[in-house]
């Protein structure tokens, strides 16, 4: 097991994020894990990040707006 040195403020923040009597190492692991949300807005952002979208001009031509 490794020892980590941290400021008092960071330690107090870490303690405030504990659930019940959860160990500090479990709290750190839980806080570092990415949260998987399945929402339409997040799916739209992921789609845009991948580049699978079209410009406004392309959409107007495609849908005849």
């Amino acid at each position: 097991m490794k020892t980590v040195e941290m400021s008092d403020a960071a330690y107090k923040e870490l303690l405030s994020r504990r659930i019940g009597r959860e160990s500090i190492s479990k709290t750190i692991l839980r806080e570092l894990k990415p949260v998987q949300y399945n929402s339409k807005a997040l799916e739209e952002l992921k789609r845009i990040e991948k580049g699978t979208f079209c410009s406004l001009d392309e959409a107007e031509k495609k849908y005849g707006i």
Side-chain angles (χ1 to χ4, degrees):
M1 185 176 294
K2 303 286 182 186
T3 302
V4 177
E5 188 173 329
M6 62 175 39
S7 69
D8 290 337
Y11 184 74
K12 287 179 184 177
E13 178 65 27
L14 184 61
L15 288 179
S16 72
R17 293 176 183 232
R18 289 172 63 187
I19 298 175
R21 297 181 60 99
E22 180 178 54
S23 68
I24 292 175
S25 61
K26 291 285 184 183
T27 304
I28 292 170
L29 289 174
R30 181 176 45 79
E31 289 290 325
L32 292 177
K33 282 185 182 178
V35 177
Q36 297 294 328
Y37 293 107
N38 292 328
S39 68
K40 291 192 178 228
L42 186 59
E43 289 175 14
E44 182 72 15
L45 288 173
K46 285 181 181 179
R47 187 175 66 86
I48 291 170
E49 283 178 354
K50 289 180 184 175
T52 56
F53 60 94
C54 59
S55 69
L56 181 59
D57 293 333
E58 293 171 343
E60 287 175 346
K61 287 178 186 176
K62 184 176 181 179
Y63 297 110
I65 299 174

